[in-house]
């Protein structure tokens, strides 16, 4: 995110104004949890986060739901339980905007939870007995803090690829949200040529 701030002409920071805070948090976590060997593969994504920001709370909900459902199949059981609670909470936050009836879930949320029935049942019981009334804060950062390290430490051989694909999907999601919000079809990514960010990323260039 520091490189994104530099390319956007902002003060050097890992929390640039040019990127949605939760998307930036996801990018930092993915960068930190990716192995040294695979981290350079994240460099082409840097320009894509520039200009992707909004004050619409729906962005928080969508990013969190995408991250949680992506991590859910591979993380450890205890993490699955925490993520299932987050998924149910965030999906409920999206219901009004989706035009859904209260208590119903998105089909993709239903499918994700169906793949982990024990965690889903635990989460529903926890919410029924532990959470009263509407969710009064956004759990996005906490969901990401469970999900991304959970993928990195999962018993899979392609954790780095999964992390990169997650960040790529989140960027694409935010681009779609930005287009819908602005009512335009123009691409929202920065117009940067590969050689421009390579000059920044490459140690030889420094």
């Amino acid at each position: 995110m520091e490189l994104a701030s530099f390319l956007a002409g902002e003060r050097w920071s890992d929390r640039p104004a040019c990127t949605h805070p939760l998307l930036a948090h996801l990018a930092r976590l993915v960068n930190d949890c990716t192995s040294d060997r695979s981290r350079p593969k994240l460099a082409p994504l840097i320009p894509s986060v520039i200009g992707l920001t909004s004050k619409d709370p729906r962005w928080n909900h969508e990013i969190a739901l995408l991250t949680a459902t992506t991590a859910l199949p591979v993380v450890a059981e205890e993490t699955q339980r925490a993520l299932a609670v987050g998924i149910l909470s965030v999906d409920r936050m999206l219901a009004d905007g989706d035009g859904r009836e209260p208590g119903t879930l998105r089909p993709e949320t239903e499918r994700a939870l169906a793949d982990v029935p024990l965690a889903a049942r635990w989460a529903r019981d926890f919410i029924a007995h532990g959470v009263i009334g509407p969710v009064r804060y956004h759990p996005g950062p906490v969901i990401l803090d469970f999900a991304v390290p959970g993928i990195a430490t999962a018993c899979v051989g392609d954790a780095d690829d999964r992390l990169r694909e997650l960040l790529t999907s989140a960027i694409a999601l935010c681009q779609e949200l930005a287009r819908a919000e602005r009512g335009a079809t123009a691409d929202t990514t920065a117009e940067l040529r590969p050689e421009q960010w390579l000059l920044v990323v490459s140690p030889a260039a420094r």
Side-chain angles (χ1 to χ4, degrees):
M1 291 313 303
E2 289 93 340
L3 291 174
S5 70
F6 175 83
L7 294 174
E10 296 185 23
R11 179 178 60 85
W12 184 265
S13 171
D14 65 351
R15 291 168 171 78
C18 65
T19 304
H20 188 277
L22 196 59
L23 179 61
H25 186 52
L26 176 61
R28 289 190 298 271
L29 285 170
V30 168
N31 179 75
D32 293 347
C33 291
T34 297
S35 68
D36 293 342
R37 182 186 66 257
S38 296
R39 191 169 291 116
K41 296 179 182 179
L42 299 175
L45 300 178
I46 295 171
S48 301
V49 302
I50 298 173
L52 286 180
T53 189
S54 171
K55 294 182 180 180
D56 185 349
R58 192 175 184 85
W59 285 48
N60 284 311
H61 310 335
E62 296 283 7
I63 294 168
L65 186 60
L66 170 66
T67 302
T69 54
T70 299
L72 192 64
V74 299
V75 298
E77 182 181 356
E78 290 186 0
T79 305
Q80 281 184 338
R81 291 179 176 181
L83 291 181
V85 171
I87 286 170
L88 289 169
S89 299
V90 173
D91 188 275
R92 180 170 59 172
M93 294 175 178
L94 288 163
D96 285 344
D98 290 349
R100 288 184 278 123
E101 292 293 327
T104 62
L105 297 174
R106 286 181 172 181
E108 54 268 33
T109 301
E110 290 274 17
R111 289 192 294 269
L113 293 173
D115 289 338
V116 289
L118 296 180
R121 183 163 61 247
W122 185 94
R124 287 188 170 99
D125 183 67
F126 176 84
I127 290 175
H129 294 89
V131 178
I132 301 174
V135 177
R136 300 188 184 280
Y137 70 98
H138 190 268
V142 176
I143 289 174
L144 270 57
D145 288 343
F146 274 94
V148 177
I151 295 173
T153 58
C155 295
V156 294
D158 60 346
D160 287 340
D161 291 337
R162 289 174 183 267
L163 291 173
R164 188 175 68 255
E165 289 169 5
L166 168 60
L167 182 55
T168 301
S169 297
I171 291 170
L173 169 65
C174 290
Q175 289 171 341
E176 181 180 346
L177 291 171
R179 283 193 291 268
E181 186 174 305
R182 297 167 187 172
T185 57
D187 190 4
T188 61
T189 58
E191 295 295 332
L192 293 174
R193 298 186 302 277
E195 60 268 24
Q196 289 177 288
W197 50 259
L198 283 174
L199 287 172
V200 179
V201 174
S202 171
R206 295 198 295 269

